[in-house]
Amino acid sequence: MCINIYGYLLKTYQSSKQNLKTRLFTPETTEKMKPSEPPKLVAASSNISNDPSASEKGEATSQQQSSNGYALTVDEVIEQHIGALGFAQIVHALLVSIAWTFDAQSTLISIFSDAKPAARLLTTGAIVEGSMLCGLSTGEWEWVGGKSDTIVSEWNLICQHKFLVALPSTLFFIGSLFGSGVYGYLADSWFGRKKTLFISCLLTFVTALAISFSPNVWVYAFLRFANGFFRSGIGSCCIVLATEVVGKKWRGQVGQYGFFFFTLGFLSLPLMGYLERKSWRNLYRITSLLPLGYAVFLLPFAYESPRWLLVKGRNKEAMVVLKKLARRNGKQLPADLSLVDPIQGRDDPSFSSSENFWRTKWAVKRIVMVMMAGFGTGFVYYGIQLNAENLNFNLYLTVAVNALMEFPAVFIGSFLLGVMNRRPLFSNSSYLAGICCLLCAVFSLHRVTRALPVSKWLQLAVEAVGFMASSTAYDVLYVYGVELFPTNVRNFAVSLLRQAFMLGASAAPLLVALGRESAMMSFIVFGVASVLSGVVSIWLRETRNAPLYETLTQQGKAEEMENETEHS
């Protein structure tokens, strides 16, 4: 009896299973099956466009897809089909991040080219400071390294002309300030990220080479301004290109790749500066050739940002880039997949795709806070590096130590970005840098140096830790700035942040010049500025694991809904 019942149930189950399989895999139902999760699908409209030019240009919106197709956002395509971080994204991020090397060299080369060299008395051979040369005639002393060592020795920028030494570096950062705004606009509107990066590298080569032929300090200062202006597109384009093709979990870590190459560029300067210590002009010529080689031989292999292409209505090109990334990751995008157009109503003749950044209240408030934090961070980050000459140590050794401290800053920052929220990580790094600067001020006191023989070693150690913390804050704020704004203004917003960095940096050389008279005062100012930068971040929104939005309207509505959900 039991066996008969069991046989009957088994036969009924097999019959039902066969009928279900037959119904599921008919041609009609097979065509309707989708490879992705139903909640994430955006159904295509049945009103199919008959205009063939739209498909050729890749400008079809989500309402114009095939009836058998489905559309996803770029974030969903990356997370579901390409992979949050694969071989293709790693190679691409490394490729675009290499340009940070030249950014570092252009920015920090003045540490050696504008340094104050040693002088000696001809009668006794004693080494004297620059301030002791003011009452002597030119026949009583000479520069130890020769007149072509730095711009100070070549143009005698001492005594009443000593503050001219700070002018080229200040103008360099002011040029970077103006250039950041221009490049940010070009990268978001006309040229895109990749072409803007190419133009920046090419013009960096031209101006750096021209600097090496400067006949006097005034031409040198002007060309440094031009060099700062034209190189300012490198950093912002690199970090945006690297982070816009990875999943939200890995944006922080990938954003750190550029700072690793920035560190390599920084670390290369003491070596090149020592080898070319007899000619500051040769130092500029060597560094000028690197961005040219990169722009010609490496940059063509990088991809344009698919997010930017999509915002510009170039859907077909965006899909081509995503397909290449998927293929290099060993995957393939579904044939019927399309991209959701983030700008609705694009086909309306009266439609305008432009959004006014400065009329969007939340964006303006946010960028003001970001720029305030960026000003203090840039002021301290570049100030500590340039202030290396005011420590009681060999300049090459001090710069090398600071450069080496960038490596733990990059690795620690990469790790912490994966496990910590952006806001506390930035603020705590700023506080630590400020405390270290204040300790450096204490160790520079004469009474402390007399009472504590190892005070100069302690000062170097504390300064190195402070620089590492400042570097971490600088790196984190860059990544934070990328995540705080949508695609159609992201490069512009990051460029404004870079402007704030450069504005702070432009004030740093003046304080460094003051530090030659009072090292304690310069460290105190740097310490207070760093602490205030951390305080400002209290008013910024947390972005860890948040999606990257495409337009100001889209992000504003999404954040408004999140705020209502949190308050309810």
Side-chain angles (χ1 to χ4, degrees):
M1 182 71 177
C2 293
I3 295 175
N4 290 337
I5 293 174
Y6 174 77
Y8 173 78
L9 291 175
L10 180 61
K11 185 181 295 184
T12 303
Y13 168 75
Q14 291 174 341
S15 176
S16 301
K17 183 177 179 181
Q18 181 63 33
N19 292 336
L20 179 62
K21 184 176 180 181
T22 302
R23 290 198 302 272
L24 281 176
F25 291 91
T26 59
E28 293 79 12
T29 56
T30 304
E31 285 294 318
K32 296 179 182 179
M33 293 183 67
K34 309 300 177 193
S36 187
E37 299 174 4
K40 295 183 178 284
L41 300 183
V42 178
S45 172
S46 60
N47 299 324
I48 306 173
S49 172
N50 294 319
D51 182 9
S53 64
S55 61
E56 290 176 0
K57 296 179 181 178
E59 295 177 351
T61 63
S62 58
Q63 283 76 28
Q64 295 174 312
Q65 308 301 327
S66 168
S67 60
N68 292 328
Y70 69 105
L72 297 176
T73 65
V74 175
D75 269 332
E76 290 168 340
V77 173
I78 292 173
E79 296 287 351
Q80 298 177 30
H81 296 290
I82 296 177
L85 182 66
F87 176 77
Q89 290 118 309
I90 293 174
V91 171
H92 178 258
L94 290 174
L95 183 61
V96 298
S97 297
I98 291 174
W100 279 91
T101 305
F102 330 125
D103 190 57
Q105 292 171 344
S106 298
T107 304
L108 302 171
I109 191 173
S110 61
I111 295 176
F112 299 102
S113 64
D114 301 6
K116 181 178 64 177
R120 65 184 167 209
L121 299 177
L122 293 177
T123 55
T124 63
I127 304 297
V128 294
E129 296 291 332
S131 58
M132 299 176 62
L133 302 175
C134 298
L136 302 176
S137 63
T138 54
E140 296 181 79
W141 60 275
E142 66 177 0
W143 297 107
V144 174
K147 290 185 68 68
S148 62
D149 190 3
T150 71
I151 66 167
V152 175
S153 58
E154 181 161 341
W155 296 318
N156 286 330
L157 302 180
I158 56 174
C159 301
Q160 69 270 27
H161 302 299
K162 63 182 178 181
F163 285 103
L164 288 177
V165 180
L167 179 64
S169 292
T170 298
L171 288 178
F172 173 87
F173 290 118
I174 292 176
S176 299
L177 187 154
F178 289 112
S180 295
V182 173
Y183 278 120
Y185 175 75
L186 293 177
D188 280 333
S189 56
W190 294 347
F191 295 144
R193 284 76 158 114
K194 182 179 175 180
K195 289 181 180 178
T196 303
L197 179 57
F198 175 83
I199 293 171
S200 187
C201 288
L202 192 63
L203 294 177
T204 297
F205 153 71
V206 173
T207 51
L209 185 62
I211 287 173
S212 66
F213 297 100
S214 301
N216 54 57
V217 67
W218 304 107
V219 174
Y220 176 79
F222 171 76
L223 290 174
R224 282 289 286 167
F225 171 86
N227 187 240
F229 182 96
F230 291 124
R231 53 64 78 174
S232 59
I234 294 177
S236 57
C237 289
C238 286
I239 194 168
V240 172
L241 273 173
T243 55
E244 285 191 334
V245 295
V246 300
K248 58 187 178 182
K249 179 182 177 181
W250 298 101
R251 288 197 302 261
Q253 291 87 331
V254 169
Q256 297 289 296
Y257 288 6
F259 305 123
F260 175 79
F261 284 100
F262 187 94
T263 304
L264 290 180
F266 186 13
L267 191 58
S268 70
L269 279 174
L271 177 60
M272 291 190 294
Y274 181 77
L275 295 176
E276 293 296 336
R277 61 188 180 279
K278 298 297 182 182
S279 175
W280 65 270
R281 296 180 186 273
N282 286 341
L283 184 59
Y284 272 101
R285 287 164 188 158
I286 293 173
T287 56
S288 71
L289 296 175
L290 299 177
L292 175 64
Y294 171 79
V296 173
F297 297 110
L298 293 180
L299 187 56
F301 296 100
Y303 303 124
E304 180 55 270
S305 166
R307 295 179 185 273
W308 179 81
L309 292 169
L310 185 61
V311 167
K312 290 301 172 183
R314 296 158 64 176
N315 302 32
K316 188 175 181 180
E317 295 175 58
M319 184 60 74
V320 168
V321 172
L322 293 172
K323 286 180 178 178
K324 288 181 178 179
L325 289 171
R327 187 165 61 250
R328 283 165 173 74
N329 279 348
K331 301 180 181 180
Q332 188 174 1
L333 298 184
D336 56 352
L337 174 66
S338 61
L339 296 174
V340 175
D341 194 328
I343 302 178
Q344 301 301 321
R346 194 191 294 273
D347 294 332
D348 189 340
S350 62
F351 170 75
S352 174
S353 62
S354 61
E355 291 183 300
N356 195 316
F357 182 90
W358 300 112
R359 291 183 181 177
T360 308
K361 291 184 179 180
W362 69 264
V364 173
K365 291 179 181 178
R366 186 168 298 176
I367 197 62
V368 168
M369 294 295 106
V370 168
M371 292 183 71
M372 289 175 64
F375 174 84
T377 304
F379 179 64
V380 176
Y381 176 73
Y382 289 108
I384 292 178
Q385 297 175 69
L386 298 175
N387 206 39
E389 65 177 272
N390 292 325
L391 294 175
N392 297 320
F393 267 89
N394 178 274
L395 178 63
Y396 297 99
L397 175 62
T398 304
V399 173
V401 169
N402 282 342
L404 288 172
M405 294 306 292
E406 288 261 27
F407 284 110
V410 170
F411 290 116
I412 291 173
S414 298
F415 171 75
L416 293 179
L417 279 168
V419 298
M420 281 184 65
N421 290 341
R422 278 47 167 155
R423 186 169 56 193
L425 178 55
F426 168 73
S427 59
N428 291 335
S429 299
S430 298
Y431 298 151
L432 177 58
I435 292 171
C436 288
C437 286
L438 295 176
L439 288 175
C440 283
V442 173
F443 288 128
S444 65
L445 291 172
H446 291 297
R447 66 181 68 179
V448 175
T449 56
R450 288 196 302 267
L452 197 62
V454 296
S455 61
K456 69 175 185 177
W457 290 97
L458 291 175
Q459 187 187 45
L460 179 64
V462 171
E463 188 265 355
V465 173
F467 177 70
M468 182 185 71
S470 177
S471 177
T472 301
Y474 187 95
D475 298 351
V476 170
L477 188 56
Y478 242 129
V479 175
Y480 201 5
V482 168
E483 297 177 338
L484 283 168
F485 298 93
T487 299
N488 64 335
V489 296
R490 183 170 297 124
N491 224 108
F492 178 67
V494 174
S495 295
L496 290 178
L497 170 59
R498 190 173 179 85
Q499 282 185 299
F501 282 144
M502 295 303 104
L503 185 61
S506 65
L510 300 175
L511 188 62
V512 171
L514 177 64
R516 292 170 181 170
E517 308 297 330
S518 175
M520 182 187 72
M521 185 57 65
S522 62
F523 279 117
I524 289 176
V525 176
F526 285 137
V528 172
S530 186
V531 172
L532 291 178
S533 297
V535 172
V536 168
S537 67
I538 294 174
W539 290 275
L540 291 176
R541 185 182 186 86
E542 182 53 54
T543 60
R544 184 187 174 203
N545 291 331
L548 288 182
Y549 299 99
E550 312 303 341
T551 66
L552 287 166
T553 302
Q554 184 187 60
Q555 182 161 346
K557 290 180 179 179
E559 291 184 356
E560 186 177 348
M561 292 177 61
E562 289 178 14
N563 292 335
E564 291 177 356
T565 303
E566 291 176 0
H567 293 312
S568 62

